[in-house]
Amino acid sequence: MTTESIDLRSDTVTLPTAEMKKAMLEAPLGDDVIDKDPTTARLEQMAAEIWGFDAALFCPSGTMCNQIAIMVHTQPGDEVLCHRLSHIYWYEGGGIAANAHCSVRLLDGVRGMIAPGSLSQNINAADDHHARSSLLSLENTVNKAGGTCYAVSHIRKLSDEARRLGLKVHIDGARIYNALVAKGEKPSDYHGLADSMSICLSKGLGCPVGSLLMGDREFIAKARRIRKRLGGGMRQSGLLAAAGIYALTHHIERLADDHRRATDLATTLKKLDWVTEVIDPETNIIFFRTSADPIHVQKTLEKNGIRCIYMGQGWLRMVTHLNIDDHQIRQCVEILKGLKIENTFIQ
């Protein structure tokens, strides 16, 4: 047993650094609902300029950003196209149906990647019998596929095809900076490829709360109204926005360390006799299967000081992040090597 657990459940468990806390405490504040919080405005302008959009909107969560985007881009009864592993389908509480009143067309594709040629095969005819195909949503990185990354060239092909077919394009960029670092790309490569994009600040970038939604000025004006309706308007939000400014300035290049540590963990997992499959990590997410009941494995790991999460379909997930260093990775490797896990499946 270890005396302190190594928390690999998600990169959402990160805590703000001392420097980030200092930036938060020193941030100029206002009321962002009555008129404007100056630090929030600065973050929104900063993000919009980086990613080539007219404007941005600071929201409490990535889920809210995605749901607002879907509501702006669609009308009730429309259909949203996304990969079958998408976060907007699996992990947003049925929001596409409950909030936007839309149906979903789930697309296949290797490791979470939609093939551009598949879009035309999944567009409904302009017929009153069918839902109107109106929005393509892409997730980068794809969490449920093991943190896999779209290359910008792939997104460009999907964007071109979607627009040819009359679809709007939304990018769920929950871990988009992980994708940039892994692919050696930059935000300017994405300019003009999407009608809207969300960026989560509270995952790999290490902020305590917050995400950004970006689009043109008309889109953001509509988004702001929907954010208010959903209860997402925040008063002195500059306390949180300051963390985002700090993260965008200081926490991007260090994502490469998370990716390296994920690879180290995956290398160890592949050598264990009770692990049957490991997806090679492109970024900071490791998916693996075991010869034993995954819930039993998860509980055994936790008893021995390693916290991971069960993702369904037999997959366990570990995620490296800001609060996991090389020493903890070495500890984790030693614990994993020392574990003996019996087959607990009922025959």
Side-chain angles (χ1 to χ4, degrees):
M1 290 286 291
T2 63
T3 57
E4 187 175 339
S5 65
I6 301 168
D7 197 342
L8 297 166
R9 290 173 299 166
S10 177
D11 45 10
T12 60
V13 304
T14 55
L15 300 175
T17 63
E19 295 81 6
M20 182 180 283
K21 288 180 182 178
K22 184 174 184 291
M24 295 168 70
L25 289 173
E26 295 176 352
L29 302 177
D31 189 320
D32 202 53
V33 177
I34 290 179
D35 43 33
K36 204 65 190 170
D37 175 278
T39 305
T40 302
R42 182 183 163 205
L43 171 64
E44 290 171 343
Q45 182 180 1
M46 178 183 184
E49 290 176 355
I50 289 171
W51 288 95
F53 289 96
D54 292 341
L57 185 67
F58 186 52
C59 294
S61 69
T63 291
M64 183 177 283
C65 286
N66 291 335
Q67 290 300 310
I68 290 173
I70 294 168
M71 284 186 275
V72 174
H73 287 312
T74 65
Q75 298 176 6
D78 284 358
E79 186 169 77
V80 178
L81 284 72
C82 63
H83 194 278
R84 61 182 178 82
L85 299 179
S86 292
H87 190 280
I88 62 168
Y89 176 74
W90 276 92
Y91 299 121
E92 298 189 6
I96 297 174
N99 297 320
H101 308 296
C102 289
S103 58
V104 184
R105 177 73 62 95
L106 298 178
L107 307 182
D108 288 316
V110 177
R111 295 194 68 182
M113 305 287 110
I114 298 170
S118 68
L119 292 184
S120 61
Q121 303 165 25
N122 286 281
I123 298 294
N124 289 329
D127 185 305
D128 289 347
H129 293 85
H130 307 310
R132 184 175 71 100
S133 303
S134 60
L135 176 65
L136 171 66
S137 179
L138 305 172
E139 183 182 346
N140 204 16
T141 67
V142 187
N143 170 30
K144 202 169 172 62
T148 52
C149 308
Y150 279 102
V152 71
S153 58
H154 192 155
I155 290 179
R156 184 173 291 108
K157 291 176 183 177
L158 282 166
S159 176
D160 290 346
E161 180 67 0
R163 285 163 171 175
R164 185 185 71 79
L165 295 166
L167 302 175
K168 294 289 187 179
V169 178
H170 173 67
I171 296 177
D172 172 4
R175 294 181 176 88
I176 191 92
Y177 279 100
N178 291 89
L180 291 183
V181 170
K183 296 295 187 183
E185 297 169 346
K186 53 189 183 297
S188 60
D189 295 332
Y190 280 74
H191 289 189
L193 296 186
D195 298 285
S196 60
M197 179 187 289
S198 63
I199 294 173
C200 186
L201 301 169
S202 64
K203 293 185 174 72
L205 296 180
C207 296
V209 176
S211 289
L212 289 156
L213 179 61
M214 299 173 292
D216 64 27
R217 296 194 187 283
E218 182 182 0
F219 172 88
I220 292 298
K222 293 177 180 178
R224 186 178 299 277
R225 185 173 183 84
I226 294 173
R227 185 188 69 172
K228 176 62 177 175
R229 186 196 310 159
L230 297 177
M234 297 178 286
R235 302 294 181 175
Q236 285 72 40
S237 54
L239 278 171
L240 301 173
I245 293 170
Y246 184 89
L248 290 175
T249 307
H250 299 284
H251 283 179
I252 295 172
E253 290 183 4
R254 62 150 308 279
L255 293 171
D257 293 330
D258 295 341
H259 300 176
R260 172 178 55 80
R261 290 164 183 149
T263 297
D264 290 345
L265 280 177
T267 299
T268 295
L269 286 166
K270 289 177 183 178
K271 297 175 182 177
L272 303 178
D273 57 10
W274 47 272
V275 173
T276 58
E277 185 177 0
V278 180
I279 295 179
D280 287 325
E282 281 191 79
T283 53
N284 65 325
I285 297 175
I286 312 110
F287 267 44
F288 64 102
R289 282 186 168 130
T290 71
S291 58
D293 174 20
I295 301 299
H296 167 70
V297 173
Q298 180 188 22
K299 291 178 179 178
T300 301
L301 289 173
E302 184 153 359
K303 287 178 182 177
N304 286 272
I306 300 173
R307 304 188 77 182
C308 65
I309 200 166
Y310 179 55
M311 295 293 289
Q313 294 81 48
W315 291 106
L316 289 160
R317 186 187 76 173
M318 292 179 175
V319 185
T320 53
H321 51 77
L322 178 66
N323 293 139
I324 298 295
D325 58 22
D326 287 334
H327 173 69
Q328 289 166 305
I329 293 296
R330 287 192 293 270
Q331 282 185 308
C332 189
V333 166
E334 291 307 310
I335 293 168
L336 289 169
K337 288 179 177 178
L339 284 180
K340 301 296 181 185
I341 296 181
E342 302 297 329
N343 191 332
T344 56
F345 281 114
I346 298 174
Q347 300 298 321

